[in-house]
Amino acid sequence: MHIDTITSPELEWQQEALCAQTGADFFFPEPGSSVREAKRICGMCPIRSACLEYALDHDERFGVWGGLSEKERLELRRVSR
Ligand code: SF4
C-alpha cells in the first residue's frame, strides 16, 4: 500500500523556494543591514508571487518575502487598503 507523505497544501509551494536552498540569513538581516542579496534571490525565484501573497495574508512582519522588505510590504498594504 502506498502511503502519501503528509504535507500541508498551504505550504506545498515552499518546496520550490530558492531561499530554502540558500539559507535564511539573507532574508532576516540584522536591522539596518542590506536586503539587496535577498531581493536578488527572490527575483530568480519561481514562486515569488505565491510567497508574497502568503506573507501578506499571514501578516508576516519580519524579513524579506516575495522580493519585498517588511517596510515595502507595509507600504503595499497601506496603499491597497
Ligand atoms: S520569493 Fe524570496 S523569500 Fe519567497 S520563497 Fe522565493 S526566495 Fe524565498
Side-chain angles (χ1 to χ4, degrees), residues 12 16 21 23 25-26 28-29 38 45-46 59-60 63 68 75 79:
E12 228 164 64
E16 288 183 61
Q21 293 158 38
D25 291 2
F26 292 128
F28 296 96
C45 182
D59 202 17
E60 292 287 353
L68 296 189
E75 182 70 10
V79 296

Side-chain angles (χ1 to χ4, degrees), residues 11-73:
L11 295 177
E12 228 164 64
W13 56 269
Q14 293 189 353
Q15 287 168 11
E16 288 183 61
L18 272 191
C19 53
Q21 293 158 38
T22 60
D25 291 2
F26 292 128
F27 297 86
F28 296 96
E30 294 292 316
S33 8
S34 172
V35 291
R36 218 166 88 196
E37 189 58 17
K39 287 180 163 194
R40 194 181 67 79
I41 296 167
C42 291
M44 299 184 289
C45 182
I47 53 160
R48 183 176 163 177
S49 47
C51 174
L52 180 58
E53 210 173 293
Y54 177 89
L56 294 172
D57 283 355
H58 291 80
D59 202 17
E60 292 287 353
R61 293 287 162 99
F62 301 104
V64 174
W65 289 75
L68 296 189
S69 68
E70 46 212 52
K71 247 192 193 161
E72 290 165 335
R73 288 196 309 279

